Amino acid sequence: MKAIGYWKAGPITAVDSLVELEMPAPLPGPRDLRIAVKAVSVNPADTQLRQTQTPMNGEFRILGYDAAGVVDAVGSDVTLFKPGDEVFYAGAMDRQGSNSELQLVDERLVGRKPQSLSFSQSAALPLTSITAWELLFNRLGVPFGEKANHGGLMIVNGAGGVGSILTQLARRLTGLTVVATASRPETIDWCRNMGAHHVINHHRPLSEGLKEAGIDHVDFVAGLTATDRHLPEIVKALVPQGKLALIDNPDVLNIVSLKLKCISVHWELMFTRSLYQTADMIEQHHILNEVADLVDAGVLRTTMVKEAGPICADNLKRVHAQLETGRSIGKVVLSGF
C-alpha cells in the first residue's frame, strides 16, 4: 500500500518533511477494522507531531488522523461493522495514521459515515466533532439537548476546526448564547454562518468585546488557542464558579488567578480514551454515530472549505504549510490516491 509520513521531526520546508513509501498491507487485530481510506483532512495535531516528535527506533511514522473510507477487512472479535461499510473516524495517536491506502482502527473509535455527505465532506468532521462534543458535554458538563439551559459560552478561535463544530453544537443543541472570537472579515462571517450569536475580536480585550455585545459575563469559555495569552481576559469574562475548558498546549498556564472566582479548569484531549484504553472508549463510536445522524437530519453541517487534490506528499506539504500560518478557516481535505 502507499503511505505518506516521515522519519525525522522538522519543518515542513525540509525536503524529507513528508515522503511516500510502499508498505505491506497491515493485518487486523481482534477488534480492528482495516479501512480503505478514501479521504483525509489535516489537523494542527498532524503538524505538531511532524514538527516535534521523531519516531522511535528509526521507524517510519504515517501521519494523519481524520479520515473517511470503506471497511476492507475485520478482526475476529469485531461486532460493530462488516466489510463494505462506509465509515469515518479520527483514529488514535499511538498507532499509524490515516495518510495511507489502508489503515487499522479499533472499531470502538469508528462511526458510520453520514449518508448525506461525500467521503471528502465526512473526513472533515471526526476529530473536531469528538473534541467539541467531549469539551462541551463531558468536560464543561453542559446538558445535551436542553434548550432551557441559559447562560453564555465564549469560544476563543471560533473559525478553526474545533470552533466551527463547537459553535454548531452549542447553538443547535443547547440554550447557551454563543460568542465566538474572530478578527478578519472572512472569519467573522464564517463564525456567524456556523451559528454564533455574537462575534468579538480576539485582538482586543475579550471582556470589552463581550460588554459591547451586551454581555457582562459568560458561564463557560472554550480556550482553543493562546489560552495563556488570553487568560487574564478569560478570568474577567467568566462568572464566579464558571468553567474553562482548553485544548491547546501552553508551555505554562498559571491558574492562580482563577482562585478568587473559583473557576474550574478542564483539559480536553480526544485521544485520552484510546491511549489509555478506558472502559468507556466506545463512547467515541456513539458520538460519531450521533454526529452522523445530526448531519443527515440537517442539524450539523460539514466544515470542509476546500479539496486540495489527491492524497500525496506534495499536496499534504502544501496543506501543512497553510495550516501552520494560523490563518485557516474550517478544514482542508484531500481525497483519493
Side-chain angles (χ1 to χ4, degrees):
M1 67 173 187
K2 178 180 175 181
I4 299 100
Y6 71 110
W7 300 100
K8 181 180 179 181
I12 195 62
T13 52
V15 174
D16 59 351
S17 60
L18 290 173
V19 297
E20 298 179 12
L21 285 185
E22 286 291 328
M23 302 180 68
L27 298 177
R31 298 207 68 174
D32 283 340
L33 308 177
R34 187 171 70 186
I35 299 167
V37 176
K38 302 299 184 183
V40 301
S41 66
V42 181
N43 293 280
D46 299 74
T47 65
Q48 291 162 9
L49 182 66
R50 191 213 74 248
Q51 288 175 306
T52 63
Q53 295 186 30
T54 293
M56 297 179 64
N57 303 318
E59 296 177 356
F60 182 75
R61 171 73 190 212
I62 303 172
L63 282 174
Y65 294 107
D66 274 331
V70 177
V71 176
D72 172 76
V74 300
S76 57
D77 296 340
V78 166
T79 61
L80 301 174
F81 298 96
K82 64 184 185 302
D85 286 345
E86 296 183 349
V87 296
F88 72 147
Y89 57 93
M93 66 187 301
D94 57 347
R95 301 189 73 175
Q96 292 285 32
S98 61
N99 295 169
S100 60
E101 290 182 288
L102 296 169
Q103 182 186 9
L104 299 182
V105 187
D106 190 298
E107 64 171 343
R108 292 167 290 180
L109 304 177
V110 178
R112 60 178 177 273
K113 184 184 78 66
Q115 294 180 359
S116 58
L117 298 183
S118 67
F119 286 106
S120 295
Q121 292 168 323
S122 298
L125 291 172
L127 186 148
T128 54
S129 294
I130 294 172
T131 300
W133 190 288
E134 291 183 348
L135 185 151
L136 184 63
F137 299 123
N138 299 148
R139 311 300 167 230
L140 293 178
V142 176
F144 169 75
E146 291 188 17
K147 287 287 190 175
N149 182 54
H150 300 297
L153 165 69
M154 181 169 66
I155 302 170
V156 181
N157 188 26
V162 174
S164 301
I165 292 292
L166 183 56
T167 299
Q168 294 185 63
L169 292 175
R171 178 63 186 265
R172 294 168 175 83
L173 300 178
T174 79
L176 294 171
T177 297
V178 182
V179 182
T181 77
S183 60
R184 293 176 282 138
E186 58 269 32
T187 55
I188 292 170
D189 288 344
W190 176 266
C191 290
R192 288 177 176 152
N193 288 333
M194 290 296 104
H197 293 91
H198 306 281
V199 184
I200 63 176
N201 190 334
H202 47 238
H203 293 307
R204 298 181 54 222
L206 299 176
S207 57
E208 291 182 8
L210 285 176
K211 286 182 170 54
E212 290 173 4
I215 300 171
D216 291 326
H217 298 93
V218 292
D219 301 81
F220 309 101
V221 171
L224 307 183
T225 188
T227 302
D228 49 349
R229 178 163 55 86
H230 292 299
L231 192 62
E233 285 297 311
I234 288 172
V235 174
K236 291 180 184 178
L238 277 165
V239 298
Q241 302 181 83
K243 295 182 178 183
L244 164 65
L246 60 153
I247 67 170
D248 56 336
N249 301 299
D251 292 331
V252 176
L253 188 69
N254 188 340
I255 62 173
V256 173
S257 60
L258 281 63
K259 182 177 182 179
L260 285 180
K261 280 190 169 182
C262 199
I263 293 168
S264 58
V265 179
H266 308 261
W267 288 100
E268 163 55 26
L269 178 66
M270 65 140 289
F271 297 116
T272 295
R273 280 173 160 145
S274 58
L275 187 61
Y276 292 96
Q277 297 284 300
T278 61
D280 65 348
M281 189 166 131
I282 198 170
E283 280 303 306
Q284 296 197 342
H285 166 72
H286 298 318
I287 290 170
L288 287 173
N289 282 348
E290 187 72 43
V291 168
D293 288 343
L294 291 167
V295 168
D296 289 337
V299 177
L300 299 178
R301 54 187 277 197
T302 182
T303 55
M304 184 186 81
V305 294
K306 180 183 178 182
E307 286 196 77
I311 305 166
C312 66
D314 286 344
N315 286 340
L316 280 165
K317 283 182 180 182
R318 282 193 288 272
V319 177
H320 275 235
Q322 172 58 37
L323 198 59
E324 289 173 19
T325 67
R327 295 175 64 84
S328 295
I329 300 174
K331 299 294 291 293
V332 177
V333 175
L334 301 93
S335 62
F337 288 89

